[in-house]
Amino acid sequence: QVQLVESGGGLVPPGGSLRLSCKISGGTINTWTMAWFRQVPGKEREFVIGNRRRGESPNYVNSVKGRFTMSRDNAENAMYLQMNNLKPDDTATYYCAATTRRLITSTMRDSSEYDYWGRGTQVTVSS
């Protein structure tokens, strides 16, 4: 059974940084499409960043360009989201998502394409 567990969220002032982790069990992520999504109450879950294998240039939403990066550690079966220069609009619950399928760019942003989800970790950006 595949399980995804996020960690690393918290409260950070504007301009601060956080690193989120997603640990995966029950499968190996080497060829999986992996992504981070985020959601605020009353809004749809939003794609943030994702890729299809370790080292591949990620697909990301413009609002995080130059501030967020993702990495994958196949040996640890983990994925990470480094968030720098955080803004209040980044406040959300962050979810890691995975599918064994190799998604194309146009579908990577569609949350319905993912088979596995973590339970989320809260990120709050506030002074």
Side-chain angles (χ1 to χ4, degrees), residues 4 11 15 19 29 40 44 65 75 77 79 97 106:
L4 282 63
L11 173 64
R19 185 178 188 241
I29 66 170
V40 297
E44 291 187 358
K65 183 179 180 181
N77 225 38
M79 176 176 69
S106 61

Side-chain angles (χ1 to χ4, degrees), residues 8-84:
L11 173 64
V12 61
S17 297
L18 278 176
R19 185 178 188 241
L20 305 184
S21 300
C22 175
K23 300 294 180 68
I24 299 93
S25 60
T28 52
I29 66 170
N30 298 31
T31 59
W32 292 11
T33 300
M34 304 285 299
W36 290 94
F37 285 76
R38 64 188 179 186
Q39 189 171 25
V40 297
K43 292 190 176 182
E44 291 187 358
R45 195 165 292 190
E46 174 192 34
F47 173 85
V48 178
I49 192 168
N51 69 9
R52 296 172 297 185
R53 58 175 172 80
R54 181 176 179 270
E56 180 181 61
S57 294
N59 185 15
Y60 51 82
V61 66
N62 283 341
S63 62
V64 307
K65 183 179 180 181
R67 302 187 299 121
F68 289 14
T69 57
M70 69 175 290
S71 59
R72 300 166 66 154
D73 187 331
N74 291 343
E76 295 293 325
N77 225 38
M79 176 176 69
Y80 305 96
L81 178 64
Q82 178 66 43
M83 305 185 293
N84 299 326

